C-alpha cells in the first residue's frame, strides 16, 4: 500500500508574525520557516503505518516556492521514501493546491492521502475536503486515531459533542489533528540518508492547472494591542470591577 503525505512550508509556529509596513501581507524575509505542524503528524502517522507493516511506500508532496523542497527533505529525514515537489511562483489557494494534488494522486495511485487538518499560515482548513470532492473519495477530517480493518480504515475525530468514529472505504483522504501522535525528530544519520532520497520536480504550468488566485486580499492588519492588566487586592474588588467597569457579570 502506498501513502501520499502532503507537507506545506509555513512560518514556524514559534515565530512572532509581523505584518508588512504597507499592509500587503506578513513578513517572510529572514523568518524561520518549518513544516506545517499537523503535516508533521501526518508524516509521523504514515511512518507508523509503514513500520506496522501496513504500507510499503511513503511519498511526500509539497507545492510552492523552491524552498518547499527543504520541507520535503525534513519529511525524508523523518523516514519517508521519496518526494514530489511542484513548483509554483507564489503561494496558491486551496482549490489550486487541491487540483494539483488531484493530478498527483491520480498518477501515484495511493490508498490513503494523509494531510494536515489545517495550514497555520492561512488557517483555511479546505484543501483535504476539496481534494476528496475532486477525486470523489471518502474523507475523514481532524482525525486523532486511525486503525486498519481489511479494506477499510476506522478513524476517530474530535468534534464538539465528543468523539466520532467513522469507517471509511479505501482509497481515502484523511486530515490529521495535532493529538494524533508525537512526531519524531530526524536523527543525524537519517538526515544524511535523506540527502540521497529522490525528489521529483514538476512545474505547475505543465499540469495545465489555472493557479490564479480567486480571492483578493485587501489588507492585512495587526490585531489590536492588548491592554495592560491590573492587579486587584481581593476577590471582592475583582467582582466589583467585573460588574461595574468591565460590565461582564
Ligand atoms: P489548508 O486547507 O490551507 O488549511 O491546508 C490543509 C492541508 O493541506 C495542510 O495541512 C497540508 O497538508 C495541505 N496543503 C495545503 N497547502 C499545501 C501546499 N502548498 N503544499 C502541500 N500541501 C499543502
Amino acid at each position: 500500500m502506498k501513502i501520499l503525505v502532503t507537507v506545506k512550508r509555513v512560518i514556524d509556529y514559534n515565530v512572532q508574525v509581523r505584518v508588512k509596513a504597507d499592509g500587503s501581507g506578513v513578513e517572510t524575509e529572514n523568518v524561520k520557516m518549518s513544516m506545517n505542524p499537523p503535516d508533521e503528524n501526518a508524516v509521523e502517522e504514515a511512518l507508523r503505518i509503514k513500520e506496522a507493516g501496513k504500507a510499503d511506500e511513503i511519498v511526500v508532496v509539497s507545492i510552492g516556492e523552491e524552498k518547499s523542497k527543504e520541507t520535503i527533505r525534513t519529511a525524508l529525514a523523518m523516514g519517508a521514501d521519496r518526494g514530489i515537489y511542484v513548483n509554483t511562483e507564489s503561494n496558491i489557494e486551496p482549490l489550486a493546491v487541491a487540483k494539483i494534488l488531484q493530478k498527483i494522486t491520480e498518477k501515484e495511485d495511493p490508498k490513503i492521502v494523509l494531510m494536515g487538518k489545517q495550514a497555520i499560515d492561512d488557517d483555511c482548513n479546505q484543501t483535504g475536503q476539496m481534494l476528496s470532492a475532486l477525486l470523489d473519495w471518502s474523507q475523514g477530517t481532524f482525525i486523532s486515531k486511525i486503525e486498519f480493518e481489511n479494506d477499510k480504515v476506522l478513524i476517530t475525530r474530535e468534534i464538539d459533542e465528543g468523539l466520532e468514529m467513522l469507517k471509511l472505504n479505501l482509497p481515502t483522504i484523511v486530515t490529521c489533528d495535532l493529538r494524533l501522535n508525537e512526531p519524531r525528530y530526524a536523527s543525524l544519520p537519517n538526515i544524511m540518508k535523506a540527502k540521497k532520497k529522490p525528489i521529483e520536480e514538476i512545474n505547475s504550468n505543465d499540469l495545465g492547472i489555472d493557479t490564479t488566485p480567486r480571492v483578493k486580499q485587501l489588507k492585512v492588519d495587526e490585531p489590536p494591542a492588548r491592554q495592560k492588566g491590573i492587579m486587584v487586592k481581593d476577590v471582592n474588588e475583582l467582582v466589583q470591577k467585573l460588574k461595574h467597569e468591565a460590565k461582564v457579570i
Side-chain angles (χ1 to χ4, degrees):
M1 182 177 83
K2 189 193 282 185
I3 305 179
L4 192 72
V5 187
T6 60
V7 293
K8 186 176 188 188
R9 184 172 183 266
V10 295
I11 295 182
D12 188 271
Y13 69 96
N14 280 312
V15 169
Q16 174 82 43
V17 176
R18 285 192 324 273
V19 173
K20 284 185 184 164
D22 63 1
S24 63
V26 298
E27 206 55 76
T28 52
E29 286 295 312
N30 301 320
V31 169
K32 184 174 180 229
M33 308 289 282
S34 303
M35 188 188 299
N36 183 46
D39 300 355
E40 290 186 321
N41 298 91
V43 175
E44 175 64 36
E45 200 59 27
L47 295 172
R48 291 185 190 190
I49 296 168
K50 189 178 169 197
E51 284 159 1
K54 294 181 187 121
D56 44 30
E57 192 182 24
I58 301 170
V59 183
V60 181
V61 52
S62 192
I63 303 161
E65 292 167 327
E66 187 75 14
K67 288 202 167 151
S68 304
K69 275 197 272 181
E70 288 170 15
T71 312
I72 295 179
R73 284 274 170 232
T74 307
L76 297 178
M78 286 170 78
D81 298 295
R82 64 183 169 92
I84 300 175
Y85 161 62
V86 184
N87 168 290
T88 58
E89 268 141 38
S90 57
N91 273 344
I92 55 170
E93 292 171 357
L95 183 59
V97 173
K99 285 182 179 171
I100 291 174
L101 291 174
Q102 178 189 15
K103 293 262 179 194
I104 297 195
T105 309
E106 283 166 353
K107 179 169 162 255
E108 291 289 331
D109 196 24
K111 279 277 173 286
I112 303 188
V113 182
L114 281 177
M115 309 176 68
K117 65 168 180 180
Q118 191 164 341
I120 61 165
D121 51 0
D122 56 23
D123 271 346
C124 278
N125 172 16
Q126 295 169 357
T127 313
Q129 295 86 332
M130 286 175 169
L131 179 61
S132 154
L134 289 169
L135 289 165
D136 200 18
W137 285 14
S138 60
Q139 64 171 298
T141 51
F142 329 124
I143 68 133
S144 55
K145 194 170 174 194
I146 180 166
E147 291 161 294
F148 287 81
E149 199 187 85
N150 304 321
D151 57 345
K152 304 216 185 312
V153 283
L154 288 170
I155 53 117
T156 303
R157 12 190 348 251
E158 294 184 15
I159 57 170
D160 284 351
E161 291 81 18
L163 297 178
E164 182 183 53
M165 268 78 102
L166 296 176
K167 200 181 267 189
L168 307 176
N169 290 326
L170 292 172
T172 191
I173 311 289
V174 168
T175 77
C176 304
D177 190 271
L178 293 172
R179 268 182 285 270
L180 177 62
N181 55 40
E182 184 75 36
R184 69 194 66 186
Y185 288 104
S187 64
L188 192 59
N190 284 347
I191 294 173
M192 301 312 286
K193 265 194 232 158
K195 293 189 192 228
K196 295 208 181 91
K197 292 185 181 175
I199 299 182
E200 180 188 352
E201 292 197 28
I202 300 174
N203 194 313
S204 61
N205 297 331
D206 297 340
L207 296 173
I209 292 166
D210 178 12
T211 57
T212 336
R214 286 151 198 245
V215 177
K216 190 170 165 205
Q217 185 176 286
L218 300 179
K219 194 164 180 267
V220 177
D221 260 339
E222 294 274 0
R226 286 178 77 177
Q227 283 183 355
K228 215 170 148 222
I230 52 158
M231 294 293 285
V232 290
K233 63 175 186 309
D234 54 24
V235 173
N236 199 22
E237 189 185 341
L238 174 66
V239 172
Q240 291 308 313
K241 286 201 180 292
L242 289 174
K243 238 186 208 163
H244 303 296
E245 288 180 24
K247 297 191 168 57
V248 289
I249 55 171

